[in-house]
Amino acid sequence: MNEKVLKTLEYNKIIEQLAEYAHSEQAKARCLALRPITDIAEIEQLQLQTKDALNRIFKSGSLSFSGVSNITDSLKRLEIGGSLSTIELLRICSLLEAAKRAKAFSRTATEDDPIASDSLAGFFSDIEPLTPLYDEIRRCILSEDEIADDASSTLRSIRRSMRGMNDKIRAQMNAMINNTTTRSYLQDTVITMRDGRYCLPVKAEAKSQVPGMIHDQSSTGSTLFIEPMAVVNLNNEYKELLLREQDEIEVILANLSNLTGEYALQLQTDYQILTELDFIFAKASYAREYNGVAPLFNTEGRIRIRKGRHPLLDKKKVVPIDVHLGEDFNLLIVTGPNTGGKTVSLKTVGLLTLMGQAGLHIPASERSELGIFEEVFADIGDEQSIEQSLSTFSSHMTNIIHILDQVNDRSLVLFDELCAGTDPTEGAALAISILSKLHLYGARIMATTHYSELKVYALSTPGVENACCEFDVDTLSPTYRLLIGIPGKSNAFAISSKLGLGEDLIEDAKGRISESDENFEDLLADLEKSRITIEKEQLEINQYKQEIQSLKEALEQKQERLDSSRDKILREANEQAYNIIKEAKDLADETIRNFNKYGKANAPISEMEKERAKLRGKMDDASKKITDRKSGTPSGHKVPKNLRVGDSVKVISMNLKGTVHSLPNAKGDLYVQMGILRSLVNINDLILLEEETAPTGKKFNKTGAGKIKMSKSASVSTEINLIGKTTDEAIALLDKYLDDAYLAHLPSVRIVHGKGTGALRNAVQAHLKRLKYVKSFHLGEFGEGDAGVTIAEFK
């Protein structure tokens, strides 16, 4: 692919933005070196990798590759038996930490999840975090300038001796400072170090009074830094310990280097895989930014872009376009007024083609299709060259000649204002000849123009189609919609009239164009009006279809509910009838038994009376229930709707007034507080009472605890962000927030404090320990914010 077209279509800006999403230097370099390719199998593989990475981001969140740095030079030094510095070992440790994160990220997918077997699964499975090596380096090296005391027993012993020797030297020198005579010779009562040896700042005139070795003097010469003779031997011993410490550190680094050398091959593999994944996930993260999708590809030169957007324009303002080329026609001629979007449409087609062939997702809708082109040519913009003494027309023509020399049937050619900048008649004729030649070659061509002759050429030539960028004459503004199949108008007369140009001038101008041209422009205007009318009618038809479909679905749902309710009522009625019949049968059986029992001779009359009274009682109870069902519910009773906690209601079955204490559940049951009695009732057994008014006519607001809880639960967030606050400010905000969250019955909250120095995190966790209603708290897990977040759970 020629480099000139990459710059013309602003592809270089795309890869510069892509590089910002990569973490490692090598991945950034790969992004900047990314170029379109022509192997369809390789392109589809690159697109698949980007798509799989995007799916993983949507499912598990972003994956950080920070810490991945180039360790190739360090590994080469290990191959020849060299020793690594603390900085190099820490870089390897950071690489292994990134490998550990990547491995954990891959484990979030279950075996049944399609992600677990996608095109990236092999990369993740080949990563080895090398935990033993990572732990050993972390154990021995605390920072670039500090080796841990526990790195070896010898180093621990040496440093213990150094601390003891340091204490002896300081004790000796403090004794000298505290001596009244010696103190008068000192410039300042401090102990300082020069060249690794402990010294005292002595006045220059008193140097003979403090015997010792002079190591340095102040810039003014008034102070001499003298090592007293009393501590020279101690300083010598301390210096020897320093040398022994340095030798032991070299031994520790050599041992760590030998251990690292054993894993050199796997380290190289980890570095290559992490760099490749960094590059792939950078493409996926960039695609997520502009809502990119993986297009379909073909080798027949077909282009069908659905709702395509130029990725460098504001995605909130850019108008998507639909473009198809290479099926019914291979040459598309776009016309219309200036600033109507012709050039943007041209660049969008070319740039999306380049992005697709580079393995990048394109900002378009699903099922968009792109052809694979060996070359993309573009003649766009002002090509004037003062240095080469070329006019605009000459520069464009030089470029066109170059295109004609290299074009073939696997080429995409884009022209902006073809053959403009010269005599219109000659320019139009030349443009038609160039387009005919390219059309004969079988290339896919898209050209913008203002020449009416090209519109006629498109109408009369097979395989050539007109298109236009829609323009609203009433508002003098383009809509930026690309309409294929309709030639556009420049609308020069209409725009001039709207802007206030005199009608006499406009009429005079109209009289100067030929009758055939005027008829052609009138035909275009009529076609445009017809198109707008048809589109409006089609839109109304679609709206009617949607309304009909919605009504149909609502009717079907209503019918389903009625059928379900009918079945439920019949089932309940059958159950009640069965229970009534069973109860009547049981009662009849008992009556027959009693009749047989008391029908015998000498049966006690009193027992028969008791049984009869018992039977009459049952009948009275049943009659009372029937009466209650008929008269218990007032006529015209409406089931309360939109009940709120604290509303005044009347319980019909108990004939008591109360207050709603909880909202109804799925069955319609809720708790009502009636004085000291709290009872579970059904909403059908309630009447909503109007609020009582005070004698002054003013209403008093209810302030029940239930309403407070409802207000809190509706407004309290499950997360508080304390980043940027001082410790005192953060604790005050956190304390009030936790009180509100606990009152709102939130099970847990997320406290964002950031990582930083850890001071804010420690203050937050210390405050949580003091709160009795906090059940537990812990740092965020992977995907929750890690050490920058604390999760607190309430009792």
Side-chain angles (χ1 to χ4, degrees):
M1 202 69 68
N2 63 89
E3 290 293 325
K4 182 178 181 181
V5 76
L6 302 182
K7 182 179 180 181
T8 302
L9 295 177
E10 299 177 294
Y11 175 82
N12 56 328
K13 294 182 180 180
I14 295 294
I15 57 177
E16 287 172 3
Q17 291 183 358
L18 172 64
E20 295 176 2
Y21 290 87
H23 294 82
S24 63
E25 290 303 320
Q26 186 169 350
K28 288 180 181 290
R30 283 200 60 183
C31 291
L32 294 174
L34 183 64
R35 293 294 181 270
I37 56 179
T38 57
D39 186 345
I40 188 170
E42 189 176 352
I43 293 172
E44 290 177 342
Q45 179 64 21
L46 292 175
Q47 290 285 351
L48 179 61
Q49 290 176 349
T50 306
K51 182 179 180 181
D52 289 341
L54 191 57
N55 289 337
R56 286 178 180 262
I57 289 174
F58 285 142
K59 182 175 179 61
S60 306
S62 298
L63 173 58
S64 173
F65 291 93
S66 59
V68 178
S69 55
N70 194 341
I71 61 171
T72 305
D73 292 340
S74 300
L75 295 180
K76 287 181 179 179
R77 193 175 296 111
L78 289 175
E79 286 181 9
I80 60 176
S83 181
L84 302 182
S85 65
T86 55
I87 295 176
E88 290 176 303
L89 288 168
L90 286 176
R91 283 177 183 170
I92 290 174
C93 203
S94 297
L95 177 73
L96 295 177
E97 194 170 356
K100 185 178 180 181
R101 284 197 305 270
K103 202 73 173 178
F105 180 81
S106 67
R107 294 194 188 104
T108 56
T110 60
E111 293 182 1
D112 298 334
D113 196 328
I115 289 179
S117 58
D118 63 11
S119 62
L120 303 181
F123 290 113
F124 285 107
S125 64
D126 291 340
I127 294 175
E128 287 296 337
L130 302 179
T131 305
L133 176 61
Y134 172 83
D135 292 341
E136 184 64 15
I137 295 175
R138 282 297 184 197
R139 184 184 71 82
C140 296
I141 303 177
L142 300 180
S143 68
E144 294 181 4
D145 304 318
E146 185 178 2
I147 304 295
D149 292 351
D150 294 333
S152 72
S153 57
T154 304
L155 183 63
R156 187 187 309 111
S157 176
I158 292 172
R159 286 184 172 173
R160 188 185 302 115
S161 301
M162 289 175 64
R163 286 190 289 272
M165 187 61 63
N166 180 61
D167 292 340
K168 287 181 183 179
I169 294 171
R170 284 188 170 276
Q172 185 74 26
M173 298 188 79
N174 281 327
M176 296 178 66
I177 291 174
N178 293 330
N179 184 287
T180 308
T181 303
T182 306
R183 185 185 301 174
S184 64
Y185 304 142
L186 302 180
Q187 194 73 261
D188 200 356
T189 56
V190 295
I191 300 172
T192 184
M193 289 197 78
R194 288 295 185 274
D195 298 329
R197 304 181 74 86
Y198 289 96
C199 302
L200 292 175
V202 180
K203 297 175 182 177
E205 62 271 16
K207 65 178 179 178
S208 60
Q209 305 298 323
V210 182
M213 300 174 62
I214 299 175
H215 287 281
D216 197 6
Q217 70 176 3
S218 65
S219 59
T220 61
S222 61
T223 303
L224 300 177
F225 296 96
I226 298 176
E227 178 186 0
M229 292 301 296
V231 296
V232 168
N233 289 334
L234 293 177
N235 267 333
N236 289 339
E237 292 180 21
Y238 185 78
K239 188 72 174 180
E240 183 181 350
L241 289 173
L242 283 175
L243 295 174
R244 288 178 57 195
E245 179 195 30
Q246 191 60 40
D247 292 340
E248 182 59 25
I249 288 175
E250 293 295 332
V251 172
I252 292 169
L253 292 179
N255 292 335
L256 288 175
S257 298
N258 292 334
L259 180 62
T260 304
E262 297 176 6
Y263 299 101
L265 185 61
Q266 186 57 53
L267 284 170
Q268 184 66 33
T269 302
D270 282 353
Y271 171 64
Q272 292 173 351
I273 292 175
L274 289 173
T275 303
E276 182 69 19
L277 286 175
D278 189 8
F279 171 65
I280 294 171
F281 274 82
K283 294 192 295 180
S285 299
Y286 187 39
R288 181 178 63 170
E289 176 66 23
Y290 57 73
N291 298 326
V293 300
L296 305 175
F297 290 95
N298 64 80
T299 56
E300 290 79 31
R302 291 193 311 275
I303 295 176
R304 180 170 288 276
I305 298 174
R306 305 172 188 270
K307 305 297 180 186
R309 307 176 305 279
H310 197 290
L312 297 178
L313 298 179
D314 187 349
K315 62 182 180 182
K316 295 180 180 178
K317 297 180 180 179
V318 63
V319 178
I321 62 171
D322 292 325
V323 183
H324 59 93
L325 180 66
E327 289 184 279
D328 300 328
F329 52 88
N330 294 338
L331 170 56
L332 185 63
I333 296 177
V334 184
T335 51
N338 291 325
T339 71
K342 299 190 301 298
T343 304
V344 171
S345 300
L346 205 65
K347 285 188 173 182
T348 300
V349 173
L351 184 55
L352 266 55
T353 298
L354 296 177
M355 289 175 64
Q357 290 186 215
L360 297 173
H361 281 9
I362 63 171
S365 296
E366 295 286 351
R367 297 182 298 108
S368 292
E369 190 174 2
L370 296 175
I372 304 295
F373 297 101
E374 293 178 355
E375 282 289 353
V376 176
F377 299 101
D379 184 57
I380 299 174
D382 188 1
E383 298 285 341
Q384 184 172 1
S385 174
I386 297 175
E387 294 84 355
Q388 299 178 10
S389 300
L390 294 176
S391 66
T392 301
F393 177 78
S394 299
S395 297
H396 282 293
M397 189 52 59
T398 302
N399 194 25
I400 291 170
I401 293 170
H402 173 72
I403 293 172
L404 290 170
D405 289 340
Q406 296 187 349
V407 73
N408 58 28
D409 61 341
R410 298 290 304 279
S411 301
L412 174 64
V413 186
L414 306 172
F415 288 121
D416 186 30
E417 302 292 348
L418 179 60
C419 293
T422 186
D423 179 75
T425 304
E426 294 180 357
L430 197 56
I432 293 174
S433 297
I434 293 171
L435 292 177
S436 299
K437 187 73 170 180
L438 292 171
H439 188 38
L440 186 62
Y441 285 158
R444 305 298 184 266
I445 312 120
M446 187 171 174
T448 67
T449 184
H450 285 286
Y451 294 143
S452 297
E453 292 86 347
L454 290 181
K455 304 174 190 177
V456 178
Y457 169 72
L459 290 172
S460 59
T461 307
V464 184
E465 187 60 86
N466 269 307
C468 70
C469 287
E470 191 178 47
F471 189 87
D472 190 341
V473 180
D474 294 331
T475 60
L476 294 180
S477 59
T479 64
Y480 301 110
R481 291 177 58 203
L482 183 66
L483 307 174
I484 294 178
I486 301 172
K489 288 185 63 179
S490 296
N491 293 305
F493 294 151
I495 294 173
S496 301
S497 177
K498 285 285 184 180
L499 292 175
L501 186 65
E503 289 295 327
D504 55 333
L505 293 176
I506 293 173
E507 290 299 326
D508 181 63
K510 287 181 179 180
R512 295 179 183 274
I513 63 174
S514 65
E515 184 178 352
S516 59
D517 290 339
E518 186 176 1
N519 293 337
F520 182 70
E521 291 297 324
D522 291 341
L523 176 62
L524 293 182
D526 292 339
L527 286 173
E528 180 67 10
K529 289 180 182 178
S530 300
R531 182 191 63 80
I532 294 173
T533 303
I534 292 171
E535 281 191 355
K536 288 182 179 179
E537 292 177 350
Q538 187 65 41
L539 182 61
E540 292 178 358
I541 291 171
N542 291 336
Q543 290 176 347
Y544 290 146
K545 284 183 178 179
Q546 290 177 359
E547 291 177 3
I548 292 171
Q549 184 65 26
S550 299
L551 291 172
K552 180 182 177 183
E553 291 175 358
L555 185 60
E556 289 176 351
Q557 292 174 0
K558 184 177 180 181
Q559 187 63 41
E560 289 177 1
R561 289 196 299 269
L562 289 175
D563 293 342
S564 177
S565 300
R566 182 187 63 187
D567 294 341
K568 182 180 178 182
I569 292 171
L570 289 175
R571 185 171 61 254
E572 291 177 353
N574 290 331
E575 290 175 358
Q576 290 178 3
Y578 172 79
N579 292 333
I580 292 171
I581 293 171
K582 185 175 181 298
E583 185 178 355
K585 181 179 179 299
D586 293 341
L587 185 61
D589 292 343
E590 186 178 358
T591 303
I592 292 170
R593 285 196 298 272
N594 290 335
F595 180 79
N596 293 333
K597 176 181 177 182
Y598 296 117
K600 298 178 182 178
N602 302 321
I605 300 299
S606 59
E607 292 185 11
M608 290 182 66
E609 286 296 330
K610 287 180 181 179
E611 291 296 330
R612 188 170 66 173
K614 182 179 177 181
L615 181 60
R616 186 183 299 112
K618 288 184 178 181
M619 294 177 64
D620 290 342
D621 289 341
S623 177
K624 185 174 182 301
K625 288 180 180 178
I626 294 172
T627 304
D628 289 343
R629 286 185 183 132
K630 290 181 178 180
S631 60
T633 303
S635 60
H637 167 62
K638 294 183 179 179
V639 178
K641 294 182 180 178
N642 300 325
L643 278 178
R644 295 176 298 176
V645 174
D647 284 348
S648 298
V649 294
K650 178 180 180 182
V651 183
I652 299 173
S653 59
M654 304 176 71
N655 197 26
L656 292 175
K657 294 182 180 180
T659 304
V660 174
H661 198 265
S662 68
L663 296 177
N665 59 19
K667 297 181 180 179
D669 297 333
L670 67 155
Y671 283 99
V672 176
Q673 190 76 35
M674 297 166 285
I676 62 172
L677 178 63
R678 182 171 177 264
S679 180
L680 181 67
V681 299
N682 192 275
I683 192 171
N684 294 321
D685 195 24
L686 297 180
I687 296 177
L688 182 63
L689 300 178
E690 296 293 331
E691 293 188 24
E692 297 179 0
T693 57
T696 59
K698 296 182 179 180
K699 292 186 179 180
F700 292 91
N701 295 325
K702 290 175 280 187
T703 58
K707 296 190 98 174
I708 294 175
K709 291 177 182 176
M710 287 294 292
S711 174
K712 291 292 183 188
S713 64
S715 61
V716 176
S717 172
T718 58
E719 176 184 298
I720 182 172
N721 191 335
L722 303 178
I723 293 176
K725 306 292 183 183
T726 64
T727 302
D728 293 336
E729 292 173 345
I731 294 304
L733 291 172
L734 178 63
D735 191 58
K736 182 179 183 305
Y737 169 74
L738 291 173
D739 287 343
D740 293 343
Y742 182 68
L743 288 174
H745 296 297
L746 297 179
S748 64
V749 294
R750 185 170 182 265
I751 305 168
V752 181
H753 44 63
K755 297 180 181 178
T757 61
L760 186 55
R761 178 180 68 245
N762 295 336
V764 167
Q765 296 185 352
H767 184 68
L768 292 173
K769 289 179 181 178
R770 295 194 294 269
L771 298 179
K772 295 182 180 180
Y773 54 77
V774 174
K775 180 180 178 182
S776 64
F777 61 89
H778 61 83
L779 289 176
E781 301 292 339
F782 179 81
E784 292 180 329
D786 298 325
V789 170
T790 295
I791 308 297
E793 297 179 355
F794 296 116
K795 294 181 179 178

